[in-house]
Coordinates of all heavy atoms in Angstrom, one line a residue:
M1 N -78.6 21.9 -16.0 CA -78.6 20.6 -15.4 C -78.5 19.6 -16.5 O -79.2 19.7 -17.5 CB -79.9 20.5 -14.5 CG -80.0 19.1 -14.0 SD -81.5 18.8 -13.0 CE -82.8 18.8 -14.3
T2 N -77.8 18.5 -16.2 CA -77.7 17.4 -17.1 C -78.2 16.1 -16.3 O -78.1 16.1 -15.1 CB -76.3 17.1 -17.7 OG1 -75.4 16.9 -16.6 CG2 -75.8 18.3 -18.5
S3 N -78.7 15.2 -17.0 CA -79.2 13.9 -16.4 C -78.6 12.8 -17.2 O -78.6 12.8 -18.4 CB -80.7 13.9 -16.4 OG -81.2 12.7 -15.8
V4 N -78.1 11.8 -16.4 CA -77.6 10.5 -17.0 C -78.3 9.4 -16.4 O -78.5 9.3 -15.1 CB -76.1 10.5 -16.7 CG1 -75.5 9.2 -17.3 CG2 -75.3 11.7 -17.3
S5 N -78.6 8.4 -17.2 CA -79.2 7.1 -16.6 C -78.3 6.0 -17.0 O -77.9 5.9 -18.1 CB -80.6 6.9 -17.2 OG -81.5 7.9 -16.8
D6 N -78.1 5.1 -16.0 CA -77.3 3.9 -16.3 C -77.7 2.8 -15.3 O -77.8 3.0 -14.1 CB -75.8 4.2 -16.1 CG -74.9 3.0 -16.5 OD1 -75.4 2.2 -17.3 OD2 -73.8 3.0 -16.0
G7 N -78.1 1.7 -15.9 CA -78.5 0.5 -15.0 C -79.7 0.8 -14.1 O -79.8 0.3 -13.0
G8 N -80.6 1.7 -14.6 CA -81.8 2.0 -13.8 C -81.6 3.1 -12.8 O -82.5 3.4 -12.0
I9 N -80.4 3.6 -12.7 CA -80.0 4.7 -11.8 C -79.9 6.0 -12.6 O -79.3 6.1 -13.6 CB -78.7 4.4 -11.0 CG1 -78.8 3.2 -10.2 CG2 -78.3 5.6 -10.2 CD1 -77.5 2.7 -9.6
R10 N -80.6 7.0 -12.1 CA -80.6 8.3 -12.7 C -79.8 9.3 -11.9 O -80.0 9.4 -10.7 CB -82.0 8.9 -12.9 CG -82.1 10.2 -13.7 CD -83.5 10.5 -14.0 NE -83.6 11.9 -14.5 CZ -84.4 12.8 -14.2 NH1 -85.3 12.5 -13.3 NH2 -84.4 14.0 -14.7
I11 N -78.8 10.0 -12.5 CA -78.0 10.9 -11.8 C -78.2 12.3 -12.5 O -78.1 12.4 -13.7 CB -76.5 10.5 -11.9 CG1 -76.3 9.1 -11.3 CG2 -75.6 11.6 -11.3 CD1 -75.0 8.5 -11.5
Q12 N -78.5 13.3 -11.6 CA -78.6 14.7 -12.1 C -77.4 15.5 -11.7 O -76.9 15.4 -10.6 CB -79.8 15.3 -11.5 CG -81.1 14.8 -12.1 CD -82.3 15.5 -11.5 OE1 -82.3 16.1 -10.5 NE2 -83.4 15.4 -12.3
N13 N -76.8 16.2 -12.6 CA -75.7 17.1 -12.4 C -76.0 18.5 -12.7 O -76.7 18.8 -13.6 CB -74.5 16.7 -13.3 CG -74.0 15.3 -13.0 OD1 -73.6 15.0 -11.8 ND2 -74.0 14.4 -14.0
W14 N -75.5 19.4 -11.8 CA -75.7 20.8 -12.0 C -74.3 21.4 -12.3 O -73.4 21.3 -11.5 CB -76.3 21.5 -10.8 CG -77.8 21.2 -10.7 CD1 -78.8 22.0 -11.2 CD2 -78.4 20.1 -10.0 NE1 -80.0 21.4 -10.9 CE2 -79.8 20.3 -10.2 CE3 -77.9 19.0 -9.4 CZ2 -80.7 19.4 -9.6 CZ3 -78.8 18.1 -8.9 CH2 -80.2 18.3 -9.0
H15 N -74.2 22.0 -13.5 CA -72.9 22.6 -13.8 C -72.6 23.9 -13.1 O -73.5 24.7 -13.0 CB -72.8 22.8 -15.3 CG -71.6 23.6 -15.7 ND1 -70.3 23.0 -15.7 CD2 -71.4 24.9 -16.1 CE1 -69.4 24.0 -16.1 NE2 -70.1 25.1 -16.3
R16 N -71.5 24.0 -12.5 CA -71.1 25.3 -11.9 C -69.6 25.5 -12.4 O -68.8 24.6 -12.4 CB -71.0 25.2 -10.4 CG -72.3 24.8 -9.7 CD -73.2 26.0 -9.6 NE -74.4 25.7 -8.8 CZ -75.4 24.9 -9.0 NH1 -75.5 24.3 -10.2 NH2 -76.4 24.8 -8.2
P17 N -69.3 26.7 -12.8 CA -68.0 27.0 -13.3 C -67.0 26.8 -12.1 O -67.4 27.0 -10.9 CB -68.0 28.5 -13.7 CG -69.5 28.8 -13.9 CD -70.2 27.8 -13.0
L18 N -65.8 26.3 -12.4 CA -64.8 26.1 -11.4 C -64.6 27.4 -10.6 O -64.3 27.4 -9.4 CB -63.5 25.6 -12.0 CG -62.4 25.2 -11.1 CD1 -62.9 24.2 -10.1 CD2 -61.2 24.7 -11.9
S19 N -64.7 28.6 -11.2 CA -64.5 29.8 -10.5 C -65.5 30.1 -9.4 O -65.2 30.7 -8.4 CB -64.5 31.0 -11.5 OG -65.8 31.1 -12.1
T20 N -66.7 29.5 -9.5 CA -67.7 29.7 -8.5 C -67.2 29.0 -7.2 O -67.2 29.6 -6.1 CB -69.0 29.0 -8.9 OG1 -69.5 29.7 -10.1 CG2 -70.1 29.1 -7.8
Y21 N -66.7 27.8 -7.3 CA -66.2 27.1 -6.2 C -64.9 27.7 -5.6 O -64.8 27.9 -4.4 CB -65.8 25.6 -6.5 CG -67.1 24.8 -6.9 CD1 -67.4 24.5 -8.2 CD2 -67.9 24.4 -5.9 CE1 -68.5 23.8 -8.5 CE2 -69.1 23.6 -6.2 CZ -69.3 23.3 -7.5 OH -70.5 22.6 -7.9
M22 N -64.0 28.1 -6.5 CA -62.7 28.7 -6.1 C -63.0 30.0 -5.3 O -62.4 30.2 -4.2 CB -61.8 28.9 -7.3 CG -61.5 27.7 -8.1 SD -60.5 26.5 -7.2 CE -58.9 27.2 -7.5
T23 N -63.8 30.8 -5.9 CA -64.1 32.1 -5.2 C -64.8 31.9 -3.9 O -64.4 32.6 -2.9 CB -65.0 33.0 -6.1 OG1 -64.4 33.2 -7.4 CG2 -65.4 34.3 -5.5
L24 N -65.7 31.0 -3.7 CA -66.4 30.7 -2.5 C -65.4 30.3 -1.4 O -65.4 30.8 -0.3 CB -67.5 29.7 -2.7 CG -68.3 29.3 -1.4 CD1 -69.1 30.5 -0.9 CD2 -69.2 28.1 -1.7
L25 N -64.5 29.3 -1.8 CA -63.5 28.8 -0.8 C -62.5 29.9 -0.4 O -62.2 30.1 0.8 CB -62.8 27.6 -1.4 CG -63.7 26.4 -1.6 CD1 -63.0 25.4 -2.5 CD2 -64.1 25.8 -0.2
L26 N -62.0 30.7 -1.4 CA -61.1 31.8 -1.1 C -61.7 32.9 -0.3 O -61.1 33.4 0.7 CB -60.5 32.4 -2.4 CG -59.6 31.4 -3.2 CD1 -59.4 32.0 -4.6 CD2 -58.3 31.2 -2.4
D27 N -63.0 33.2 -0.5 CA -63.7 34.2 0.3 C -63.9 33.8 1.7 O -64.1 34.6 2.6 CB -65.1 34.5 -0.4 CG -64.9 35.4 -1.6 OD1 -63.8 35.9 -1.9 OD2 -66.0 35.5 -2.3
H28 N -63.9 32.5 2.0 CA -64.0 32.0 3.3 C -62.6 31.8 4.0 O -62.5 31.1 5.1 CB -64.8 30.7 3.4 CG -66.3 31.0 3.3 ND1 -66.9 31.2 2.1 CD2 -67.2 31.2 4.3 CE1 -68.2 31.4 2.3 NE2 -68.4 31.4 3.6
G29 N -61.6 32.3 3.4 CA -60.3 32.3 4.1 C -59.4 31.1 3.9 O -58.4 31.0 4.5
L30 N -59.9 30.2 3.0 CA -59.1 29.0 2.8 C -58.0 29.2 1.8 O -58.1 30.1 1.0 CB -60.0 27.8 2.3 CG -61.1 27.4 3.2 CD1 -62.0 26.3 2.6 CD2 -60.5 26.8 4.5
Q31 N -56.9 28.5 2.0 CA -55.8 28.6 1.1 C -55.6 27.3 0.3 O -55.7 26.2 0.8 CB -54.5 28.8 1.9 CG -54.5 30.1 2.7 CD -53.3 30.2 3.6 OE1 -52.6 29.2 3.9 NE2 -53.0 31.4 4.0
L32 N -55.5 27.5 -1.0 CA -55.3 26.3 -1.9 C -53.8 25.9 -1.8 O -52.9 26.6 -2.0 CB -55.6 26.7 -3.4 CG -55.4 25.6 -4.4 CD1 -56.4 24.5 -4.1 CD2 -55.7 26.2 -5.8
R33 N -53.6 24.6 -1.4 CA -52.3 24.0 -1.2 C -51.9 23.1 -2.3 O -50.7 23.0 -2.6 CB -52.3 23.2 0.1 CG -52.8 23.9 1.4 CD -52.1 25.2 1.7 NE -50.7 24.8 2.1 CZ -49.8 25.7 2.3 NH1 -50.0 27.0 2.1 NH2 -48.6 25.3 2.7
L34 N -52.9 22.5 -3.0 CA -52.6 21.6 -4.1 C -53.7 21.6 -5.1 O -54.9 21.6 -4.7 CB -52.4 20.2 -3.5 CG -52.3 19.0 -4.6 CD1 -50.9 19.0 -5.1 CD2 -52.6 17.7 -3.9
F35 N -53.4 21.6 -6.4 CA -54.4 21.4 -7.4 C -53.8 20.5 -8.5 O -52.7 20.7 -9.0 CB -54.7 22.7 -8.1 CG -55.8 22.6 -9.1 CD1 -57.1 22.8 -8.7 CD2 -55.6 22.3 -10.4 CE1 -58.2 22.7 -9.6 CE2 -56.6 22.2 -11.3 CZ -57.9 22.4 -10.9
S36 N -54.4 19.3 -8.7 CA -53.9 18.3 -9.6 C -55.0 17.8 -10.5 O -56.1 17.6 -10.1 CB -53.3 17.2 -8.8 OG -52.8 16.2 -9.6
E37 N -54.6 17.5 -11.8 CA -55.5 16.8 -12.7 C -54.8 15.5 -13.1 O -54.0 15.5 -14.1 CB -55.8 17.7 -13.9 CG -56.6 18.9 -13.6 CD -56.7 19.9 -14.8 OE1 -55.7 20.1 -15.5 OE2 -57.8 20.5 -14.9
P38 N -55.0 14.4 -12.4 CA -54.3 13.2 -12.7 C -54.5 12.7 -14.1 O -55.6 12.8 -14.7 CB -55.0 12.2 -11.7 CG -55.6 13.0 -10.6 CD -56.0 14.3 -11.3
Q39 N -53.5 12.3 -14.7 CA -53.5 11.8 -16.1 C -53.6 10.3 -16.1 O -53.1 9.6 -15.2 CB -52.1 12.2 -16.8 CG -51.9 13.7 -16.9 CD -53.0 14.3 -17.8 OE1 -53.2 13.9 -18.9 NE2 -53.6 15.4 -17.3
P40 N -54.3 9.8 -17.1 CA -54.4 8.3 -17.3 C -53.1 7.7 -17.5 O -52.2 8.3 -18.1 CB -55.4 8.1 -18.5 CG -55.4 9.4 -19.2 CD -55.0 10.5 -18.2
T41 N -53.0 6.4 -17.0 CA -51.7 5.7 -17.2 C -51.8 4.6 -18.2 O -50.8 3.9 -18.5 CB -51.2 5.1 -15.9 OG1 -52.2 4.3 -15.3 CG2 -50.9 6.3 -14.9
G42 N -53.0 4.4 -18.8 CA -53.2 3.3 -19.7 C -54.6 3.3 -20.3 O -55.4 4.1 -19.8
G43 N -54.8 2.5 -21.3 CA -56.2 2.4 -21.8 C -56.2 2.8 -23.3 O -55.2 2.9 -23.9
D44 N -57.4 3.0 -23.7 CA -57.7 3.3 -25.1 C -57.1 4.7 -25.5 O -57.4 5.7 -24.8 CB -59.2 3.4 -25.3 CG -59.6 3.8 -26.7 OD1 -59.1 3.2 -27.7 OD2 -60.3 4.8 -26.9
P45 N -56.2 4.8 -26.5 CA -55.6 6.0 -26.8 C -56.5 7.2 -27.1 O -56.2 8.3 -26.8 CB -54.7 5.7 -28.1 CG -54.5 4.2 -28.0 CD -55.8 3.6 -27.3
D46 N -57.7 6.9 -27.8 CA -58.6 8.0 -28.1 C -59.2 8.5 -26.8 O -59.4 9.7 -26.6 CB -59.7 7.5 -29.0 CG -59.2 7.2 -30.4 OD1 -58.2 7.9 -30.8 OD2 -59.8 6.4 -31.1
R47 N -59.5 7.6 -25.9 CA -60.1 8.1 -24.6 C -59.1 8.9 -23.8 O -59.4 9.9 -23.2 CB -60.6 6.9 -23.8 CG -61.4 7.2 -22.6 CD -62.0 6.0 -22.0 NE -62.8 6.5 -20.9 CZ -63.4 5.7 -20.1 NH1 -63.3 4.4 -20.2 NH2 -64.2 6.2 -19.1
I48 N -57.8 8.4 -23.8 CA -56.8 9.1 -23.1 C -56.6 10.6 -23.7 O -56.5 11.5 -22.9 CB -55.4 8.4 -23.2 CG1 -55.5 7.1 -22.4 CG2 -54.2 9.2 -22.8 CD1 -54.3 6.2 -22.6
A49 N -56.7 10.7 -25.0 CA -56.5 12.0 -25.7 C -57.7 12.9 -25.2 O -57.5 14.1 -24.9 CB -56.5 11.8 -27.2
R50 N -58.9 12.4 -25.2 CA -60.0 13.2 -24.7 C -59.9 13.6 -23.3 O -60.1 14.8 -22.9 CB -61.3 12.4 -24.9 CG -61.9 12.4 -26.3 CD -63.3 11.8 -26.4 NE -63.5 10.6 -25.6 CZ -63.4 9.4 -26.1 NH1 -63.0 9.2 -27.3 NH2 -63.7 8.3 -25.3
H51 N -59.4 12.7 -22.4 CA -59.2 13.0 -21.0 C -58.1 14.1 -20.8 O -58.3 14.9 -20.0 CB -58.8 11.7 -20.2 CG -58.5 12.0 -18.8 ND1 -59.5 12.1 -17.9 CD2 -57.4 12.1 -18.1 CE1 -59.0 12.3 -16.7 NE2 -57.7 12.3 -16.8
R52 N -57.1 14.0 -21.6 CA -56.0 15.0 -21.5 C -56.5 16.4 -21.9 O -56.1 17.4 -21.4 CB -54.8 14.6 -22.3 CG -54.1 13.5 -21.6 CD -52.7 13.3 -22.1 NE -52.0 12.4 -21.2 CZ -51.4 11.3 -21.6 NH1 -51.4 11.0 -22.9 NH2 -50.8 10.5 -20.8
R53 N -57.5 16.4 -22.9 CA -58.0 17.7 -23.3 C -59.0 18.3 -22.3 O -59.1 19.5 -22.1 CB -58.7 17.5 -24.7 CG -59.0 18.8 -25.4 CD -59.6 18.6 -26.8 NE -60.9 18.1 -26.7 CZ -61.3 16.9 -27.0 NH1 -60.5 16.0 -27.4 NH2 -62.6 16.5 -26.9
V54 N -59.9 17.4 -21.8 CA -60.9 17.8 -20.8 C -60.9 16.8 -19.7 O -61.6 15.7 -19.8 CB -62.3 17.8 -21.5 CG1 -63.4 18.3 -20.5 CG2 -62.3 18.7 -22.7
P55 N -60.1 17.0 -18.6 CA -60.0 16.1 -17.5 C -61.3 15.8 -16.9 O -62.2 16.6 -16.8 CB -59.1 16.8 -16.5 CG -58.3 17.8 -17.4 CD -59.3 18.2 -18.4
F56 N -61.5 14.5 -16.5 CA -62.8 14.1 -15.9 C -62.9 14.5 -14.4 O -64.0 14.7 -13.9 CB -62.9 12.5 -15.9 CG -63.1 12.0 -17.2 CD1 -62.3 11.0 -17.7 CD2 -64.1 12.4 -18.1 CE1 -62.4 10.4 -19.0 CE2 -64.3 11.9 -19.3 CZ -63.4 10.9 -19.8
F57 N -61.7 14.8 -13.8 CA -61.8 15.2 -12.4 C -60.5 15.9 -12.0 O -59.5 15.8 -12.8 CB -62.1 14.0 -11.4 CG -61.0 13.0 -11.4 CD1 -60.0 13.0 -10.5 CD2 -61.1 11.9 -12.3 CE1 -59.0 12.0 -10.5 CE2 -60.1 11.0 -12.3 CZ -59.1 11.0 -11.4
H58 N -60.5 16.5 -10.9 CA -59.3 17.2 -10.3 C -59.2 16.9 -8.8 O -60.2 16.6 -8.2 CB -59.2 18.7 -10.7 CG -60.4 19.4 -10.2 ND1 -61.5 19.6 -10.9 CD2 -60.6 20.0 -9.0 CE1 -62.4 20.3 -10.2 NE2 -61.9 20.5 -9.0
I59 N -58.1 17.1 -8.3 CA -57.9 17.0 -6.8 C -57.4 18.3 -6.3 O -56.5 19.0 -6.9 CB -56.8 15.9 -6.5 CG1 -57.3 14.6 -7.1 CG2 -56.5 15.9 -5.0 CD1 -56.2 13.5 -7.1
M60 N -58.1 18.8 -5.2 CA -57.7 20.0 -4.6 C -57.5 19.7 -3.1 O -58.2 19.0 -2.5 CB -58.7 21.1 -4.7 CG -58.9 21.6 -6.1 SD -60.0 23.0 -6.2 CE -61.6 22.3 -5.8
E61 N -56.5 20.4 -2.5 CA -56.2 20.4 -1.1 C -56.3 21.8 -0.6 O -55.6 22.7 -1.1 CB -54.9 19.8 -0.8 CG -54.6 19.7 0.7 CD -53.2 19.2 1.0 OE1 -52.7 18.3 0.3 OE2 -52.6 19.6 2.0
W62 N -57.2 22.0 0.3 CA -57.4 23.3 0.9 C -57.0 23.3 2.4 O -57.2 22.3 3.0 CB -58.9 23.8 0.8 CG -59.3 24.0 -0.7 CD1 -59.7 23.1 -1.6 CD2 -59.2 25.3 -1.3 NE1 -60.0 23.7 -2.8 CE2 -59.7 25.0 -2.7 CE3 -58.9 26.6 -1.0 CZ2 -59.8 26.0 -3.6 CZ3 -59.0 27.6 -1.9 CH2 -59.4 27.3 -3.2
Q63 N -56.5 24.5 2.9 CA -56.2 24.5 4.3 C -56.7 25.8 4.9 O -56.6 26.9 4.2 CB -54.7 24.5 4.4 CG -54.2 24.6 5.8 CD -52.7 24.5 5.9 OE1 -52.0 24.5 4.9 NE2 -52.2 24.2 7.1
K64 N -57.2 25.7 6.1 CA -57.7 26.9 6.8 C -56.5 27.4 7.6 O -55.9 26.6 8.4 CB -58.9 26.6 7.7 CG -59.4 27.9 8.3 CD -60.8 27.7 8.8 CE -61.4 29.0 9.3 NZ -62.5 29.5 8.5
P65 N -56.1 28.7 7.5 CA -54.9 29.1 8.2 C -55.2 29.2 9.7 O -56.4 29.3 10.1 CB -54.7 30.6 7.7 CG -55.8 30.9 6.7 CD -56.6 29.7 6.6
D66 N -54.2 29.1 10.5 CA -54.3 29.2 12.0 C -54.8 30.5 12.4 O -54.7 31.5 11.9 CB -53.0 28.9 12.7 CG -52.5 27.5 12.4 OD1 -53.3 26.6 12.2 OD2 -51.3 27.3 12.4

């Protein structure tokens, strides 16, 4: 677990490997339709380089078959 404080707000995060989520969703019969890691389009070059190496987020679209 990690904890971050900003502006008087404390946020706790629990790390789970991506495989934990993927396996759970696949085991429940869902099909992965889209997986995307959006790339930055501008900003500080050092921050962009870090983001490309370790993306901050990803987008998934799952579908339950008929």
Side-chain angles (χ1 to χ4, degrees):
M1 175 182 68
T2 61
S3 180
V4 177
S5 294
D6 186 22
I9 299 172
R10 184 171 171 227
I11 300 170
Q12 290 183 336
N13 295 304
W14 286 266
H15 171 73
R16 304 282 190 284
L18 187 53
S19 62
T20 299
Y21 294 104
M22 301 293 274
T23 300
L24 181 65
L25 293 164
L26 291 167
D27 286 351
H28 281 84
L30 296 176
Q31 297 174 339
L32 181 60
R33 309 301 292 171
L34 171 78
F35 187 93
S36 176
E37 294 173 321
Q39 297 294 309
T41 57
D44 176 59
D46 291 333
R47 190 170 183 188
I48 290 171
R50 283 192 310 270
H51 178 79
R52 287 197 169 123
R53 194 178 73 252
V54 182
F56 291 128
F57 63 94
H58 59 268
I59 298 170
M60 294 189 289
E61 180 182 327
W62 291 86
Q63 181 177 12
K64 188 160 183 115
D66 295 334

